[in-house]
Each structure stands twice: as structure tokens, then as C-alpha cells.
Amino acid sequence: MTHDAILSLIRREVIPAIGCTEPIAVALCVARATELLGSEPEAIKVELSKNIYKNAMAVGIPNTGMTGLPISIALGATVGKSAYGLEVLKDVTPESVVYARAYMERVPIEIVVPQQVPDVLFIRVTVSAKGAEQQACIMGDHTHFTDPQHPTKACAAQTSVQGVPNEELRLKEVFEYAETVPLDDVMFLFDGAKMNVAAAECSFANDYGHGLGRLLHSGQLKQIYGDTIFTKILSYTSGACDARMAGAMVPVMSNSGSGNQGISCSVPVLMYARENHNSEEETLRALTLSNLTEIYIKQSLGRLSALCGCVVASTGSAVGITYLMGGRYNEVTFAIKNMIANISGMLCDGAKPGCSLKVTSGVATAVLSASLAMQHKYAAADEGIVEEDIDRTIHNLTRIGSQGMQQTDDLILDIMTHKQ
């Protein structure tokens, strides 16, 4: 891929988002259908893939104090603007939440999870009012609208429509791009990382989710963890996740359709760089390497799966931190092998406050993996799914997530929807 094509890919995948991207994508789809209808819907039907449903069940919706799909659907219909993309609900006010609550009570909202859908990321909304009906459909990407009646055919043209070729990267190409890209081209990654750190600082001042970041930041665990770079990485990363999963009205810079993944591949890198006094250029190149590594891995894994996204994002931060430690391409490959040998089995059981626990486990492993890599200690080719070739090792991980864990995904959703 050319430098311009890779930059287009990064700009497409690294974008601001407010709230968990699955219920937000549903709100976005509802907003688009409502705009096409031209009036407030009198009935709404939402068809979802199980992966979207799983990630929207228990997560906080920004500025509402509520969780789940009904409120996000109601807000999408009453205040959402599709032009905002993943910030579709940024105009939400306390007054609009009160109105949306009442709207939920008087307007029938039907949520359906069909057995067969054309993609793991699939949303189709049908709205009606005064005898008129309109539909909108999102598929393959959290912001990609497609033909509601023929979604698969329309989605096939997605890459050409967005101007990004459907070519797969290789890790060597990722590393070389991060080392040579003009810094002005990727300065927005620096701004995005600072945006995610600001989300963490918001969590320190409030009681969001499980409060893991706030607890680590408070110093109450200083006797165990100390006051170290490691502690700062853990507290800021988990804090940003705490705020986002609880529904704080704070924007974060997402990666590959996930805010938690954007947080996990940027905050640890920025915090390490600050504490280690790396230069701005080193920091920006490390952020580019981290973000692009995540994008590369997600290309073959897919948007949603039973494999927790923090495994991928933390692998990105592992290579970014390795670079800041002075590592080169070889050390970067060692760090990835250490990550894949360690936390490749972490499951995704939906977006929720507990995601901060998984994010923290992931970035803690990232720091350990980078540290081992700098000593040239790494999982060898005879260990588990690790191979000598780094790209084959990565694809072994993504094959497990995208193919091997499909039945696991079904079982997870069945457990989540049949709790007693």
C-alpha cells in the first residue's frame, strides 16, 4: 500500500466517538432512518446481529444515567443527527433525556436478533409514521450505511466508495510507515491520545463504573503498586474506560470502531512517553505504530468477535512502548509474540463497566511483553500458536477469533440473555 493509502486507512479507522460504539451505531442508524422519514417515528423496529446486541445490553448511554438499547434508540429518533457519525448523540441534554424517556413509553420499539444476518456487524432500522415507512442499514463498519434491501451487494463496494483499497498490511510495512511518515500527517493521533487521557482525568474526579482507574490513581494501592510509570499507565487507561463504559459525556478517539481499543492503544503509549521523557517525534511515531498495528490485526479479525478487543489494542500499545524503549523491528515482533502467547484467550462478553478490568489486564501484559522483548526474551515458534513468521503468528490469533470462536460467541450471548 502507498503512504497515501495507509494514511487514508488510519484516518478512516481512528475517529472521535462519544459512548460505546455499538449502541451509538444503533442510534446513528435510527437517526438516519428518522431523517429519511421526515417526522418523529410512531413505531420503530431494529434488527441486530448478536454481536451488536451483546455489546449494547449493559453499557452506559452518554448523559442519561441509563444503560442499553431502548434509550439509545429513543435518543436516535428524537435528538440524534446522522451527520455527526459516532458522535450522533452529542446534542443530548437533560431535557432531551426526559423527552426520550417519555417517548420510550408511548412509542412501540421492537428489537429483533435474527438467526441469520449478512455480517457480524449488522443493524437495520425500520421506522413508520402516518402510513409512511423508511429504512436505514449499517453493515460491516459502525458508520457505513448500505442498501437496506440488498446490504451484501452494496457493502461489497464499501472500500472503493471510501477510497481505501482493500489491501492487507504486513507488520514490516506497518513499522516502516511509522518510521517514515511526515509527522504533520499523523499529528491528529497525538491529539486523540490527549483526548483519551482527558477522559481518564474526568474519571478521577467522578465515580464511574467500578472506579478502577480512580482507585489506582488515588494512591490507596501505593503499598502494592508503588508510584511508578506502570501505575500511571494502568490508572489512566482503566480510568478512561471507566468513564466511557459508564456513559460519561466525554469524547474519546476510537480505533477500528471501538473506543476502548482506541484508549488501550494510545493512553499507555502517551503515559509511558511522558514519564520516560521521550521526544514529541518519538511519541508520535510510537502512537502511529500502535494505532496502525491494531488496524492491521483487525483487518483479518473483523470488527466484532468473541475475542476481546483489548487483546488487539494492548498488542498495539506493546509495540508502541517497545519503540519508546528503543526497540526496533525485531524487538517489536518479540513483543507481539509475547502478547499472543499470553492473553490470546480473553473473551468478549459484551460492553460493560467490567471492561476496565480487561483493559487493565491487557495493558499490564503489554508493559511486561515490551520489557521482555527488550531483553530478547520471547515466545518461541514451538510454543502454542506462535510461529517464526510474525504475520503468520498474527493471523493464527485472528483465525481463532474470527473462525474458531463463533460457537463460543453464540454460547456467550445465550448465557447473557438467560441469566436467572
Side-chain angles (χ1 to χ4, degrees):
M1 294 175 67
T2 66
H3 271 238
D4 287 346
I6 294 175
L7 180 59
S8 295
L9 179 63
I10 297 173
R11 288 190 175 278
R12 187 185 79 190
E13 300 290 5
V14 182
I15 59 175
I18 296 176
C20 177
T21 50
E22 277 70 53
I24 292 301
V26 174
L28 175 63
C29 200
V30 172
R32 171 66 69 87
T34 300
E35 290 161 1
L36 293 172
L37 186 65
S39 63
E40 196 171 87
E42 296 172 353
I44 303 174
K45 178 181 178 180
V46 179
E47 300 168 85
L48 304 170
S49 60
K50 63 179 180 291
N51 300 79
I52 292 287
Y53 185 69
K54 179 180 72 174
N55 278 350
M57 289 175 61
V59 71
I61 307 304
N63 217 24
T64 67
M66 301 175 69
T67 62
L69 281 166
I71 186 62
S72 60
I73 291 169
L75 287 169
T78 57
V79 73
K81 292 183 175 63
S82 66
Y84 292 164
L86 292 180
E87 296 179 286
V88 59
L89 299 184
K90 71 178 181 180
D91 289 343
V92 168
T93 64
E95 293 75 21
S96 60
V97 173
V98 171
Y99 184 83
R101 283 174 180 263
Y103 181 82
M104 289 165 53
E105 297 299 322
R106 62 182 172 83
V107 172
I109 297 174
E110 182 184 6
I111 300 171
V112 180
V113 183
Q115 287 294 319
Q116 298 293 327
V117 292
D119 194 82
V120 294
L121 198 165
F122 179 79
I123 307 162
R124 181 161 53 200
V125 173
T126 305
V127 295
S128 58
K130 299 180 175 62
E133 183 178 283
Q134 288 288 346
Q135 288 188 316
C137 183
I138 287 175
M139 178 173 155
D141 183 285
H142 290 79
T143 59
H144 179 244
F145 287 96
T146 186
D147 184 345
Q149 298 303 314
H150 307 284
T152 305
K153 180 179 178 181
C155 201
Q158 177 182 356
T159 54
S160 61
V161 169
Q162 295 182 323
V164 180
N166 188 22
E167 298 177 32
E168 193 169 282
L169 292 161
R170 294 179 67 84
L171 187 67
K172 184 69 171 178
E173 191 176 10
V174 168
F175 185 84
E176 290 173 351
Y177 181 85
E179 283 229 293
T180 58
V181 62
L183 297 182
D184 287 345
D185 287 351
V186 289
M187 188 60 70
F188 73 98
L189 296 178
F190 212 156
D191 297 334
K194 289 187 284 188
M195 180 189 299
N196 293 347
V197 166
E201 291 168 344
C202 174
S203 78
F204 299 154
N206 298 277
D207 189 16
Y208 289 125
H210 295 308
L212 177 58
R214 188 181 187 189
L215 176 64
L216 289 166
H217 185 71
S218 68
Q220 294 181 53
L221 301 180
K222 189 175 181 178
Q223 186 175 359
I224 300 173
Y225 287 96
D227 184 15
T228 64
I229 297 177
F230 186 60
T231 310
K232 287 183 171 62
I233 288 172
L234 298 185
S235 64
Y236 274 80
T237 307
S238 58
C241 183
D242 282 330
R244 181 172 174 271
M245 291 290 95
M249 197 65 173
V250 292
V252 300
M253 190 64 88
S254 68
N255 186 306
S256 301
S258 168
N260 283 350
Q261 289 172 197
I263 289 166
S264 297
C265 76
S266 64
V267 172
V269 175
L270 183 57
M271 295 310 301
Y272 183 88
R274 285 181 176 179
E275 297 298 312
N276 195 49
H277 306 294
N278 289 98
S279 68
E280 181 176 288
E281 177 175 350
E282 289 170 333
T283 305
L284 192 49
R285 297 202 181 282
L287 285 169
T288 304
L289 180 58
S290 178
N291 276 278
L292 192 53
T293 297
E294 177 177 347
I295 292 168
Y296 162 45
I297 299 174
K298 291 288 285 187
Q299 278 186 317
S300 55
L301 177 62
R303 276 290 192 266
L304 301 170
S305 75
L307 179 66
C308 179
C310 85
V311 174
V312 178
S314 299
T315 300
S317 61
V319 303
I321 292 170
T322 300
Y323 185 85
L324 293 172
M325 288 178 171
R328 310 305 299 159
Y329 178 72
N330 279 345
E331 288 78 18
V332 162
T333 66
F334 300 159
I336 293 175
K337 290 179 179 181
N338 289 337
M339 291 294 292
I340 291 176
N342 192 339
I343 58 171
S344 55
M346 189 179 290
L347 298 176
C348 172
D349 55 347
K352 59 199 175 302
C355 287
S356 64
L357 300 171
K358 296 187 179 185
V359 162
T360 306
S361 296
V363 298
T365 305
V367 176
L368 294 175
S369 295
S371 300
L372 277 174
M374 292 303 294
Q375 300 299 316
H376 283 213
K377 303 291 186 181
Y378 59 95
D382 59 353
E383 298 184 47
I385 64 173
V386 174
E387 295 195 35
E388 189 65 36
D389 182 87
I390 188 61
D391 294 290
R392 286 183 58 85
T393 300
I394 288 170
H395 285 102
N396 290 343
L397 171 70
T398 59
R399 282 179 60 204
I400 291 171
S402 61
Q403 301 172 30
M405 298 177 76
Q406 290 181 1
Q407 187 174 353
T408 302
D409 219 14
D410 292 336
L411 181 57
I412 289 171
L413 182 60
D414 182 69
I415 292 170
M416 291 173 65
T417 54
H418 292 90
K419 293 181 182 180
Q420 296 184 3

